[in-house]
Amino acid sequence: MNKPLKSIARISVVDQAIQNLQNYITDNNLQPGDKLPTEKEVCEMMGIGRSTAREAYRMLKAMDYVTAIQGKGIFLSDKYRKNDSNEMALEWFRENGRSMIEFMEVRMAIEPMAVRLAIPRATDSDIEALEKTHFLFQQALNDKNTVKLLSYDELFHNQIMEFTDNQLMIRISQNITECFRSYRSKAFAVDKMGNAVTPHAKIIDAFHKRDTQLGYNLMIEHLEISLEDILKYSTP
């Protein structure tokens, strides 16, 4: 239980760091192309660790708020102040749909298997932590907090993967998670924020029932919805 709860606490710190960066952008009237503080400077300004600053910038990058140029720094994106986030998301799907389909196919191969392994191995405390993540996801949905939505959706799937105690599967999943951050932010932008609530609740129920086949089937159904969205929105 301690490990997931520590992750949840970390999300709150990252969220605060992102809010502080957004306030910094507004207070200094930064314009697209303007340079933002380095990770080291953010750490000094906010009194946070390097990993938190890095995670905050990763989230902002996933939402197309900033761009990173190797050797030069991090800059405010020209998309930061655009109003039509829905159209921006649809444009992203059209440009990246093919690669997202490939990543989703890999997810559909390993995540249902992860649930099958995780259900008998998860402790009662693990399941309680998964429920807390689900509760916080719903709370973020009600608050329309995109950063927390991304974080808790990602954490939900990562927790299940951790419950497998299969280190190879966990490492593969970590690589996929990095690639899916941008997808999650765009999916939520096209009014798909609530699509995960019911599937997640059903998967948690399968954990309570210790029903591995049910969990396996529910994860497939959940991922198939995401695949359908990618196919739908990536079509010109």
Side-chain angles (χ1 to χ4, degrees), residues 68-90:
I69 301 176
Q70 191 170 5
K72 294 186 177 180
I74 300 170
F75 301 84
L76 191 64
S77 169
D78 59 358
K79 299 178 181 179
Y80 182 77
R81 297 187 188 279
K82 285 188 177 180
N83 295 321
D84 193 355
S85 59
N86 186 283
E87 181 54 38
M88 284 172 54
L90 291 174

Side-chain angles (χ1 to χ4, degrees), residues 187-218:
F188 293 153
V190 290
D191 299 325
K192 294 295 175 183
M193 292 185 292
N195 269 8
V197 173
T198 299
H200 285 187
K202 289 181 177 180
I203 290 169
I204 290 172
D205 186 54
F207 271 88
H208 280 296
K209 293 177 178 177
R210 299 293 181 174
D211 190 329
T212 56
Q213 189 60 48
L214 177 62
Y216 181 89
N217 294 340
L218 288 170

